[in-house]
Amino acid sequence: MRINRARLAESMEALGKIGETARGGLNRVALTDDDRRGRDLLVRWMKEAGLAVTVDQMGNLFGLRAGTETRPPVFMGSHADSVPSGGKYDGQLGVLCALETLRSLNDRQARTRHPVGMIVFTNEEGARFQPAMIASGVMAGKIPLEDAYNTRDRDGVRLVDELERIGYLGSEPCVPRPMRAYLELHIEQGPLLEEEGLPLGVVEGIVAIAWSRITLHGVQDHAGPTPMRLRHDALVAAAEIVTGVRGIARHIAGDMVATVGRLDLTPNIPNAIPGRVVLSVDFRDPQEANLDRALAMLDHVVRVAIRQEGVRAEVEHYWRVPRTPFDPEVVGVVEAAAASLGCGHRRIISGAGHDAQYMAAICPTGMIFVPSRGGRSHCEEEFTALDDIEHGANALLLACARLAGAESATRAP
Ligand code: GLV
Ligand code: MN
Ligand code: MN
């Protein structure tokens, strides 16, 4: 049993046109009009594949193919939103490989004991509405639905209002449901598979992640007449914090990574001293205890920076996802699928967050990685060769068939 490479490539091409950037990347930020257009196309394809399509209270899309027995389904999935000026592979590749797997089961008229389905998760990126993976977080019971609904973007627009506006505020409860397993195919977003010349990564788990938001309140004033001695510049304090965050990662070392990715300035004009700055801090480490150390060090860095500049700070450590090991059985099934395809593979830990991280709290979960050229992601240069994608999609198909008890996969030789 194999996927249809040409059909998968065509679908990637067609979905990749919605929100395509001039440089061949993707700008399909969550709950925008382009997100709606992408969802509309996916829903059409899901219905054409004979799937029963439903939408839950967080706008997650489900498409289900019946099994021969009343058993919990095997789900595959990922997300269809992108970061701004992102690439065409992060998220949508996993969704399309899930769809291609279901189409391939249809081609073979394959019967599975468990139903098989796909999920398209809402706002995985956390680019517009924080935190990331918010919809799988609600599904797993880790984020209250009301909190998710009331999350606002930079313009103060609420997530629930945007869900409604684009027509994807569904009625199915967004709660854990019985699932045999969850499988997610994704690009690696790092360099290891390419460096080692391997087409497949068998993902063993995901690092722990912590996000903080720091709001600095200085004194907005004129850039000309205000002597240096009278300034309380929120951006100068922010600059100290940015450098301090890099220093924390250097100090803890090992696998710790730390990023300040967002900086919002007020009033953000050349001739005013910045009165207010909001910055984001993202820490990741395979070891939970290192995140505790990093957050404590961040508090110290902020205290020193604000004292020096005479500004005030609010620090919110608002999101934390624990280190997540995947289910040994599912990891083993993915590994066996890779081996049976005869393609090179290795076990790997994900440095990026994925909806699979929350799904692991609901059901046995695993992931498949395919290589990222140059290790690049969250940028327009993101690229994965079709040969690698084909291997990944076939591994997904075989693993899914095995977990769902497909007749061809379970029949004695
Ligand atoms: C999701 O892309 C994340 O790892 O932040
Ligand atoms: Mn992703
Ligand atoms: Mn991403």
Side-chain angles (χ1 to χ4, degrees), residues 76-78 89 93-94 97-98 101 182-189 193 199-206 326 330-331 333-338 341 343-346 348 350 354 356 365-371 388-401 403:
M76 300 166 286
S78 199
Y89 299 81
L93 184 66
C97 288
T101 292
Y182 175 76
L183 286 169
E184 181 164 350
L185 178 144
H186 205 281
I187 53 169
E188 180 197 343
Q189 309 180 281
L193 294 176
L200 287 184
V202 178
V203 187
E204 287 188 296
I206 304 185
F326 286 144
V330 177
V331 173
V333 167
V334 169
E335 196 157 54
L341 290 167
C343 43
H345 57 277
R346 60 163 279 172
I348 192 166
S350 175
H354 301 287
T365 293
M367 288 187 77
I368 299 168
F369 272 179
V370 290
D388 293 332
I389 292 172
E390 185 178 9
H391 289 310
N394 275 323
L396 182 68
L397 172 64
L398 295 184
C400 172
L403 290 164

Tab-separated table of all heavy atoms in Angstrom, residues 76-78 89 93-94 97-98 101 182-189 193 199-206 326 330-331 333-338 341 343-346 348 350 354 356 365-371 388-401 403:
chain	number	residue	atom	x	y	z
A	76	MET	N	-4.974	11.405	12.393
A	76	MET	CA	-3.734	12.044	11.922
A	76	MET	C	-4.054	13.526	11.809
A	76	MET	O	-5.214	13.891	11.608
A	76	MET	CB	-3.365	11.528	10.532
A	76	MET	CG	-3.120	10.044	10.457
A	76	MET	SD	-3.117	9.516	8.726
A	76	MET	CE	-4.852	9.583	8.322
A	77	GLY	N	-3.043	14.371	11.872
A	77	GLY	CA	-3.362	15.784	11.693
A	77	GLY	C	-2.183	16.688	11.858
A	77	GLY	O	-1.036	16.238	12.053
A	78	SER	N	-2.489	17.963	11.759
A	78	SER	CA	-1.533	19.041	11.987
A	78	SER	C	-2.327	20.339	11.831
A	78	SER	O	-3.543	20.324	12.037
A	78	SER	CB	-0.361	18.956	10.990
A	78	SER	OG	0.750	19.699	11.459
A	89	TYR	N	5.397	24.459	4.232
A	89	TYR	CA	5.506	23.074	4.694
A	89	TYR	C	5.104	22.903	6.155
A	89	TYR	O	4.572	21.869	6.537
A	89	TYR	CB	6.942	22.570	4.484
A	89	TYR	CG	7.336	22.580	3.025
A	89	TYR	CD1	7.751	23.748	2.393
A	89	TYR	CD2	7.246	21.424	2.266
A	89	TYR	CE1	8.077	23.773	1.041
A	89	TYR	CE2	7.572	21.423	0.922
A	89	TYR	CZ	7.988	22.608	0.317
A	89	TYR	OH	8.302	22.615	-1.014
A	93	LEU	N	1.744	20.574	5.418
A	93	LEU	CA	2.237	19.294	4.897
A	93	LEU	C	1.627	18.123	5.677
A	93	LEU	O	1.209	17.125	5.094
A	93	LEU	CB	3.768	19.225	4.950
A	93	LEU	CG	4.330	17.948	4.340
A	93	LEU	CD1	4.059	17.878	2.852
A	93	LEU	CD2	5.827	17.824	4.607
A	94	GLY	N	1.555	18.264	6.990
A	94	GLY	CA	1.001	17.181	7.812
A	94	GLY	C	-0.478	16.963	7.561
A	94	GLY	O	-0.973	15.831	7.548
A	97	CYS	N	-0.718	15.268	4.094
A	97	CYS	CA	-0.309	13.855	4.133
A	97	CYS	C	-1.374	13.014	4.839
A	97	CYS	O	-1.598	11.850	4.474
A	97	CYS	CB	1.051	13.696	4.805
A	97	CYS	SG	2.409	14.292	3.764
A	98	ALA	N	-2.037	13.606	5.830
A	98	ALA	CA	-3.153	12.899	6.473
A	98	ALA	C	-4.271	12.668	5.462
A	98	ALA	O	-4.814	11.562	5.340
A	98	ALA	CB	-3.665	13.710	7.668
A	101	THR	N	-3.291	10.055	2.992
A	101	THR	CA	-3.408	8.716	3.579
A	101	THR	C	-4.849	8.210	3.487
A	101	THR	O	-5.102	7.068	3.088
A	101	THR	CB	-2.942	8.758	5.052
A	101	THR	OG1	-1.542	8.997	5.060
A	101	THR	CG2	-3.224	7.464	5.774
A	182	TYR	N	-2.879	9.128	17.912
A	182	TYR	CA	-2.742	10.335	17.098
A	182	TYR	C	-1.355	10.349	16.478
A	182	TYR	O	-0.349	10.124	17.169
A	182	TYR	CB	-2.952	11.598	17.946
A	182	TYR	CG	-2.689	12.870	17.164
A	182	TYR	CD1	-3.613	13.344	16.226
A	182	TYR	CD2	-1.498	13.591	17.331
A	182	TYR	CE1	-3.364	14.496	15.491
A	182	TYR	CE2	-1.252	14.735	16.601
A	182	TYR	CZ	-2.187	15.191	15.681
A	182	TYR	OH	-1.929	16.325	14.943
A	183	LEU	N	-1.315	10.596	15.168
A	183	LEU	CA	-0.051	10.624	14.417
A	183	LEU	C	0.069	11.949	13.699
A	183	LEU	O	-0.889	12.402	13.066
A	183	LEU	CB	-0.055	9.530	13.341
A	183	LEU	CG	0.123	8.087	13.773
A	183	LEU	CD1	-0.177	7.164	12.583
A	183	LEU	CD2	1.561	7.869	14.256
A	184	GLU	N	1.243	12.578	13.770
A	184	GLU	CA	1.440	13.848	13.064
A	184	GLU	C	2.726	13.789	12.268
A	184	GLU	O	3.796	13.502	12.815
A	184	GLU	CB	1.465	15.011	14.077
A	184	GLU	CG	1.631	16.377	13.418
A	184	GLU	CD	1.268	17.561	14.326
A	184	GLU	OE1	0.707	17.339	15.429
A	184	GLU	OE2	1.552	18.703	13.921
A	185	LEU	N	2.602	14.058	10.973
A	185	LEU	CA	3.794	14.205	10.130
A	185	LEU	C	4.122	15.686	10.067
A	185	LEU	O	3.223	16.518	9.926
A	185	LEU	CB	3.527	13.646	8.731
A	185	LEU	CG	4.687	13.783	7.738
A	185	LEU	CD1	4.740	12.570	6.813
A	185	LEU	CD2	4.609	15.060	6.903
A	186	HIS	N	5.409	16.014	10.172
A	186	HIS	CA	5.810	17.426	10.170
A	186	HIS	C	7.219	17.535	9.612
A	186	HIS	O	7.969	16.559	9.628
A	186	HIS	CB	5.773	17.974	11.612
A	186	HIS	CG	5.570	19.451	11.699
A	186	HIS	ND1	6.593	20.351	11.499
A	186	HIS	CD2	4.465	20.184	11.951
A	186	HIS	CE1	6.103	21.577	11.636
A	186	HIS	NE2	4.815	21.509	11.906
A	187	ILE	N	7.552	18.716	9.131
A	187	ILE	CA	8.957	18.952	8.759
A	187	ILE	C	9.785	19.064	10.038
A	187	ILE	O	9.273	19.497	11.078
A	187	ILE	CB	9.110	20.219	7.892
A	187	ILE	CG1	8.472	21.437	8.560
A	187	ILE	CG2	8.529	19.984	6.505
A	187	ILE	CD1	8.818	22.763	7.896
A	188	GLU	N	11.050	18.692	9.934
A	188	GLU	CA	11.895	18.689	11.135
A	188	GLU	C	12.113	20.097	11.690
A	188	GLU	O	12.162	20.303	12.883
A	188	GLU	CB	13.257	18.061	10.823
A	188	GLU	CG	14.186	18.031	12.028
A	188	GLU	CD	15.643	17.814	11.673
A	188	GLU	OE1	15.950	17.368	10.554
A	188	GLU	OE2	16.500	18.123	12.537
A	189	GLN	N	12.305	21.060	10.795
A	189	GLN	CA	12.568	22.463	11.171
A	189	GLN	C	13.940	22.638	11.811
A	189	GLN	O	14.222	23.664	12.434
A	189	GLN	CB	11.467	23.017	12.094
A	189	GLN	CG	10.060	22.784	11.532
A	189	GLN	CD	8.942	23.313	12.402
A	189	GLN	OE1	8.590	22.668	13.392
A	189	GLN	NE2	8.388	24.449	12.060
A	193	LEU	N	18.353	15.726	10.167
A	193	LEU	CA	18.079	14.707	9.140
A	193	LEU	C	18.863	15.010	7.869
A	193	LEU	O	19.452	14.111	7.261
A	193	LEU	CB	16.573	14.627	8.849
A	193	LEU	CG	15.695	14.116	9.994
A	193	LEU	CD1	14.212	14.176	9.610
A	193	LEU	CD2	16.075	12.685	10.378
A	199	PRO	N	15.976	10.410	5.267
A	199	PRO	CA	14.679	10.972	4.874
A	199	PRO	C	13.638	11.009	5.994
A	199	PRO	O	12.674	11.754	5.910
A	199	PRO	CB	14.204	10.058	3.746
A	199	PRO	CG	14.900	8.761	3.973
A	199	PRO	CD	16.199	9.079	4.670
A	200	LEU	N	13.836	10.216	7.047
A	200	LEU	CA	12.781	10.120	8.057
A	200	LEU	C	13.302	10.249	9.483
A	200	LEU	O	14.337	9.667	9.839
A	200	LEU	CB	12.063	8.766	7.953
A	200	LEU	CG	11.121	8.557	6.775
A	200	LEU	CD1	10.438	7.207	6.896
A	200	LEU	CD2	10.075	9.655	6.739
A	201	GLY	N	12.553	10.961	10.288
A	201	GLY	CA	12.822	11.029	11.719
A	201	GLY	C	11.672	10.374	12.471
A	201	GLY	O	10.498	10.646	12.188
A	202	VAL	N	12.013	9.489	13.389
A	202	VAL	CA	11.020	8.858	14.255
A	202	VAL	C	11.062	9.665	15.556
A	202	VAL	O	12.023	9.587	16.310
A	202	VAL	CB	11.383	7.379	14.504
A	202	VAL	CG1	10.386	6.730	15.454
A	202	VAL	CG2	11.466	6.611	13.176
A	203	VAL	N	10.023	10.454	15.780
A	203	VAL	CA	10.087	11.434	16.860
A	203	VAL	C	9.768	10.761	18.196
A	203	VAL	O	8.725	10.126	18.346
A	203	VAL	CB	9.130	12.616	16.599
A	203	VAL	CG1	9.337	13.713	17.636
A	203	VAL	CG2	9.329	13.171	15.194
A	204	GLU	N	10.672	10.920	19.127
A	204	GLU	CA	10.498	10.277	20.444
A	204	GLU	C	9.788	11.168	21.441
A	204	GLU	O	9.295	10.693	22.453
A	204	GLU	CB	11.881	9.944	21.020
A	204	GLU	CG	12.569	8.804	20.353
A	204	GLU	CD	13.824	8.434	21.130
A	204	GLU	OE1	14.732	9.281	21.190
A	204	GLU	OE2	13.864	7.319	21.675
A	205	GLY	N	9.794	12.475	21.165
A	205	GLY	CA	9.161	13.380	22.113
A	205	GLY	C	9.471	14.819	21.770
A	205	GLY	O	10.155	15.112	20.775
A	206	ILE	N	8.965	15.721	22.601
A	206	ILE	CA	9.114	17.164	22.363
A	206	ILE	C	9.670	17.819	23.623
A	206	ILE	O	9.309	17.441	24.741
A	206	ILE	CB	7.757	17.802	21.974
A	206	ILE	CG1	7.159	17.100	20.741
A	206	ILE	CG2	7.909	19.295	21.724
A	206	ILE	CD1	5.883	17.724	20.193
A	326	PHE	N	6.786	10.573	23.655
A	326	PHE	CA	5.688	9.935	22.932
A	326	PHE	C	5.527	8.483	23.367
A	326	PHE	O	6.388	7.916	24.035
A	326	PHE	CB	5.896	10.067	21.428
A	326	PHE	CG	5.634	11.465	20.913
A	326	PHE	CD1	6.388	12.007	19.880
A	326	PHE	CD2	4.634	12.254	21.458
A	326	PHE	CE1	6.146	13.294	19.414
A	326	PHE	CE2	4.378	13.537	21.006
A	326	PHE	CZ	5.140	14.059	19.969
A	330	VAL	N	3.518	3.557	19.752
A	330	VAL	CA	3.348	4.323	18.512
A	330	VAL	C	4.716	4.635	17.897
A	330	VAL	O	4.900	4.522	16.679
A	330	VAL	CB	2.543	5.621	18.776
A	330	VAL	CG1	2.431	6.455	17.503
A	330	VAL	CG2	1.158	5.284	19.307
A	331	VAL	N	5.679	4.986	18.738
A	331	VAL	CA	7.039	5.249	18.231
A	331	VAL	C	7.567	3.983	17.539
A	331	VAL	O	8.142	4.051	16.442
A	331	VAL	CB	7.978	5.690	19.378
A	331	VAL	CG1	9.425	5.807	18.899
A	331	VAL	CG2	7.511	7.030	19.971
A	333	VAL	N	5.768	1.607	16.146
A	333	VAL	CA	5.022	1.383	14.895
A	333	VAL	C	5.576	2.288	13.789
A	333	VAL	O	5.743	1.866	12.635
A	333	VAL	CB	3.505	1.628	15.120
A	333	VAL	CG1	2.761	1.717	13.781
A	333	VAL	CG2	2.907	0.525	15.978
A	334	VAL	N	5.875	3.541	14.139
A	334	VAL	CA	6.443	4.471	13.145
A	334	VAL	C	7.815	3.961	12.689
A	334	VAL	O	8.136	3.957	11.490
A	334	VAL	CB	6.555	5.901	13.732
A	334	VAL	CG1	7.390	6.806	12.830
A	334	VAL	CG2	5.165	6.498	13.947
A	335	GLU	N	8.591	3.503	13.633
A	335	GLU	CA	9.936	3.004	13.304
A	335	GLU	C	9.841	1.771	12.389
A	335	GLU	O	10.582	1.658	11.408
A	335	GLU	CB	10.656	2.637	14.604
A	335	GLU	CG	12.143	2.488	14.461
A	335	GLU	CD	12.813	2.696	15.822
A	335	GLU	OE1	12.407	2.005	16.784
A	335	GLU	OE2	13.708	3.547	15.910
A	336	ALA	N	8.895	0.893	12.701
A	336	ALA	CA	8.720	-0.317	11.868
A	336	ALA	C	8.257	0.075	10.469
A	336	ALA	O	8.683	-0.537	9.469
A	336	ALA	CB	7.706	-1.259	12.527
A	337	ALA	N	7.404	1.117	10.384
A	337	ALA	CA	6.935	1.563	9.062
A	337	ALA	C	8.125	2.088	8.257
A	337	ALA	O	8.287	1.767	7.072
A	337	ALA	CB	5.874	2.651	9.223
A	338	ALA	N	8.973	2.889	8.912
A	338	ALA	CA	10.161	3.430	8.213
A	338	ALA	C	11.059	2.295	7.761
A	338	ALA	O	11.559	2.292	6.627
A	338	ALA	CB	10.911	4.383	9.144
A	341	LEU	N	9.808	0.422	4.735
A	341	LEU	CA	9.964	1.168	3.484
A	341	LEU	C	11.418	1.124	3.010
A	341	LEU	O	11.738	1.590	1.922
A	341	LEU	CB	9.546	2.635	3.677
A	341	LEU	CG	8.048	2.870	3.871
A	341	LEU	CD1	7.795	4.294	4.367
A	341	LEU	CD2	7.301	2.629	2.563
A	343	CYS	N	13.820	2.886	4.146
A	343	CYS	CA	14.521	4.175	4.088
A	343	CYS	C	15.215	4.477	5.414
A	343	CYS	O	14.789	4.036	6.488
A	343	CYS	CB	13.630	5.318	3.646
A	343	CYS	SG	12.031	5.392	4.320
A	344	GLY	N	16.305	5.241	5.279
A	344	GLY	CA	17.109	5.577	6.448
A	344	GLY	C	16.301	6.419	7.423
A	344	GLY	O	15.510	7.263	7.021
A	345	HIS	N	16.496	6.167	8.701
A	345	HIS	CA	15.753	6.935	9.703
A	345	HIS	C	16.546	6.944	10.998
A	345	HIS	O	17.459	6.139	11.188
A	345	HIS	CB	14.367	6.328	9.927
A	345	HIS	CG	14.401	4.883	10.338
A	345	HIS	ND1	14.517	3.856	9.418
A	345	HIS	CD2	14.377	4.290	11.560
A	345	HIS	CE1	14.544	2.710	10.061
A	345	HIS	NE2	14.465	2.937	11.358
A	346	ARG	N	16.196	7.859	11.859
A	346	ARG	CA	16.792	7.914	13.189
A	346	ARG	C	15.731	8.407	14.163
A	346	ARG	O	14.753	9.043	13.771
A	346	ARG	CB	17.995	8.845	13.229
A	346	ARG	CG	17.672	10.278	12.847
A	346	ARG	CD	18.753	11.250	13.282
A	346	ARG	NE	18.599	11.576	14.701
A	346	ARG	CZ	19.481	12.283	15.405
A	346	ARG	NH1	20.578	12.704	14.842
A	346	ARG	NH2	19.254	12.573	16.664
A	348	ILE	N	14.562	10.985	17.033
A	348	ILE	CA	14.853	12.416	17.128
A	348	ILE	C	13.905	13.051	18.149
A	348	ILE	O	12.795	12.561	18.352
A	348	ILE	CB	14.709	13.028	15.703
A	348	ILE	CG1	15.267	14.443	15.618
A	348	ILE	CG2	13.292	12.976	15.191
A	348	ILE	CD1	15.453	14.926	14.174
A	350	SER	N	11.922	16.588	19.129
A	350	SER	CA	11.482	17.827	18.479
A	350	SER	C	11.780	19.041	19.356
A	350	SER	O	11.427	19.074	20.532
A	350	SER	CB	9.973	17.772	18.201
A	350	SER	OG	9.552	19.019	17.671
A	354	HIS	N	4.267	21.128	18.838
A	354	HIS	CA	3.287	20.631	17.863
A	354	HIS	C	2.024	20.251	18.618
A	354	HIS	O	2.083	19.949	19.817
A	354	HIS	CB	3.821	19.386	17.148
A	354	HIS	CG	5.101	19.633	16.410
A	354	HIS	ND1	5.158	20.342	15.245
A	354	HIS	CD2	6.381	19.292	16.707
A	354	HIS	CE1	6.416	20.418	14.841
A	354	HIS	NE2	7.179	19.799	15.713
A	356	ALA	N	0.689	17.600	18.591
A	356	ALA	CA	0.936	16.256	19.138
A	356	ALA	C	1.348	16.321	20.613
A	356	ALA	O	1.140	15.367	21.369
A	356	ALA	CB	2.016	15.549	18.324
A	365	THR	N	0.460	8.716	21.226
A	365	THR	CA	0.786	9.684	20.179
A	365	THR	C	2.202	9.484	19.662
A	365	THR	O	3.081	9.042	20.407
A	365	THR	CB	0.623	11.114	20.758
A	365	THR	OG1	-0.762	11.328	21.027
A	365	THR	CG2	1.108	12.198	19.818
A	366	GLY	N	2.394	9.812	18.384
A	366	GLY	CA	3.733	9.787	17.796
A	366	GLY	C	3.810	10.741	16.628
A	366	GLY	O	2.776	11.246	16.157
A	367	MET	N	5.027	10.999	16.177
A	367	MET	CA	5.226	11.907	15.042
A	367	MET	C	6.270	11.351	14.083
A	367	MET	O	7.150	10.588	14.471
A	367	MET	CB	5.710	13.282	15.511
A	367	MET	CG	4.669	14.113	16.218
A	367	MET	SD	5.284	15.795	16.560
A	367	MET	CE	5.154	16.553	14.938
A	368	ILE	N	6.163	11.810	12.827
A	368	ILE	CA	7.138	11.490	11.789
A	368	ILE	C	7.722	12.805	11.298
A	368	ILE	O	6.957	13.726	10.982
A	368	ILE	CB	6.437	10.780	10.599
A	368	ILE	CG1	5.790	9.473	11.069
A	368	ILE	CG2	7.408	10.572	9.437
A	368	ILE	CD1	4.856	8.861	10.053
A	369	PHE	N	9.039	12.887	11.222
A	369	PHE	CA	9.674	14.088	10.664
A	369	PHE	C	10.236	13.794	9.283
A	369	PHE	O	10.774	12.702	9.036
A	369	PHE	CB	10.841	14.543	11.551
A	369	PHE	CG	10.445	15.478	12.678
A	369	PHE	CD1	11.413	15.941	13.575
A	369	PHE	CD2	9.139	15.916	12.847
A	369	PHE	CE1	11.074	16.800	14.613
A	369	PHE	CE2	8.789	16.774	13.887
A	369	PHE	CZ	9.770	17.217	14.772
A	370	VAL	N	10.152	14.799	8.418
A	370	VAL	CA	10.881	14.763	7.144
A	370	VAL	C	11.862	15.932	7.152
A	370	VAL	O	11.657	16.919	7.876
A	370	VAL	CB	9.910	14.829	5.934
A	370	VAL	CG1	9.123	13.530	5.811
A	370	VAL	CG2	8.953	16.012	6.033
A	371	PRO	N	12.955	15.856	6.370
A	371	PRO	CA	14.029	16.849	6.486
A	371	PRO	C	13.628	18.242	6.013
A	371	PRO	O	12.783	18.388	5.132
A	371	PRO	CB	15.125	16.306	5.546
A	371	PRO	CG	14.734	14.920	5.199
A	371	PRO	CD	13.264	14.789	5.403
A	388	ASP	N	11.491	13.001	-0.210
A	388	ASP	CA	11.427	12.832	1.250
A	388	ASP	C	9.977	12.855	1.733
A	388	ASP	O	9.591	12.090	2.633
A	388	ASP	CB	12.220	13.943	1.955
A	388	ASP	CG	13.717	13.834	1.697
A	388	ASP	OD1	14.192	12.702	1.468
A	388	ASP	OD2	14.403	14.874	1.724
A	389	ILE	N	9.197	13.753	1.149
A	389	ILE	CA	7.782	13.845	1.537
A	389	ILE	C	7.075	12.532	1.237
A	389	ILE	O	6.268	12.042	2.039
A	389	ILE	CB	7.101	15.026	0.804
A	389	ILE	CG1	7.680	16.355	1.323
A	389	ILE	CG2	5.590	14.982	0.966
A	389	ILE	CD1	7.241	17.579	0.557
A	390	GLU	N	7.408	11.960	0.093
A	390	GLU	CA	6.777	10.684	-0.288
A	390	GLU	C	7.115	9.587	0.735
A	390	GLU	O	6.239	8.831	1.158
A	390	GLU	CB	7.247	10.284	-1.683
A	390	GLU	CG	6.544	9.042	-2.209
A	390	GLU	CD	6.989	8.675	-3.625
A	390	GLU	OE1	7.955	9.288	-4.131
A	390	GLU	OE2	6.376	7.761	-4.198
A	391	HIS	N	8.379	9.525	1.140
A	391	HIS	CA	8.746	8.536	2.174
A	391	HIS	C	7.958	8.785	3.461
A	391	HIS	O	7.448	7.851	4.082
A	391	HIS	CB	10.243	8.626	2.500
A	391	HIS	CG	11.130	8.111	1.409
A	391	HIS	ND1	10.953	6.894	0.816
A	391	HIS	CD2	12.224	8.661	0.812
A	391	HIS	CE1	11.876	6.698	-0.105
A	391	HIS	NE2	12.670	7.762	-0.129
A	392	GLY	N	7.890	10.045	3.842
A	392	GLY	CA	7.188	10.387	5.078
A	392	GLY	C	5.715	10.018	5.008
A	392	GLY	O	5.153	9.443	5.949
A	393	ALA	N	5.090	10.351	3.877
A	393	ALA	CA	3.656	10.077	3.720
A	393	ALA	C	3.411	8.567	3.704
A	393	ALA	O	2.410	8.086	4.257
A	393	ALA	CB	3.132	10.737	2.450
A	394	ASN	N	4.307	7.827	3.077
A	394	ASN	CA	4.137	6.367	3.076
A	394	ASN	C	4.308	5.789	4.482
A	394	ASN	O	3.589	4.871	4.876
A	394	ASN	CB	5.127	5.716	2.105
A	394	ASN	CG	4.586	5.711	0.680
A	394	ASN	OD1	3.382	5.519	0.474
A	394	ASN	ND2	5.448	5.944	-0.291
A	395	ALA	N	5.237	6.354	5.234
A	395	ALA	CA	5.406	5.890	6.620
A	395	ALA	C	4.143	6.196	7.429
A	395	ALA	O	3.690	5.379	8.244
A	395	ALA	CB	6.628	6.556	7.251
A	396	LEU	N	3.568	7.371	7.171
A	396	LEU	CA	2.319	7.736	7.866
A	396	LEU	C	1.211	6.749	7.508
A	396	LEU	O	0.482	6.265	8.386
A	396	LEU	CB	1.916	9.165	7.478
A	396	LEU	CG	0.658	9.710	8.154
A	396	LEU	CD1	0.875	9.913	9.648
A	396	LEU	CD2	0.218	11.028	7.499
A	397	LEU	N	1.092	6.447	6.220
A	397	LEU	CA	0.061	5.512	5.756
A	397	LEU	C	0.237	4.138	6.407
A	397	LEU	O	-0.726	3.555	6.933
A	397	LEU	CB	0.136	5.394	4.222
A	397	LEU	CG	-0.735	4.317	3.568
A	397	LEU	CD1	-2.219	4.610	3.774
A	397	LEU	CD2	-0.428	4.220	2.066
A	398	LEU	N	1.456	3.642	6.398
A	398	LEU	CA	1.687	2.301	6.956
A	398	LEU	C	1.455	2.280	8.468
A	398	LEU	O	0.856	1.336	9.005
A	398	LEU	CB	3.106	1.825	6.636
A	398	LEU	CG	3.428	1.606	5.145
A	398	LEU	CD1	4.831	1.036	4.987
A	398	LEU	CD2	2.406	0.678	4.490
A	399	ALA	N	1.930	3.316	9.141
A	399	ALA	CA	1.758	3.365	10.604
A	399	ALA	C	0.281	3.473	10.955
A	399	ALA	O	-0.217	2.812	11.880
A	399	ALA	CB	2.550	4.531	11.183
A	400	CYS	N	-0.419	4.302	10.198
A	400	CYS	CA	-1.851	4.490	10.449
A	400	CYS	C	-2.608	3.187	10.207
A	400	CYS	O	-3.459	2.777	11.011
A	400	CYS	CB	-2.344	5.614	9.527
A	400	CYS	SG	-4.097	5.795	9.543
A	401	ALA	N	-2.275	2.521	9.093
A	401	ALA	CA	-2.955	1.261	8.761
A	401	ALA	C	-2.714	0.221	9.857
A	401	ALA	O	-3.623	-0.510	10.264
A	401	ALA	CB	-2.465	0.749	7.409
A	403	LEU	N	-1.979	0.793	13.075
A	403	LEU	CA	-2.669	1.146	14.326
A	403	LEU	C	-4.179	0.989	14.204
A	403	LEU	O	-4.866	0.721	15.188
A	403	LEU	CB	-2.312	2.586	14.727
A	403	LEU	CG	-0.867	2.782	15.196
A	403	LEU	CD1	-0.482	4.253	15.186
A	403	LEU	CD2	-0.680	2.196	16.606
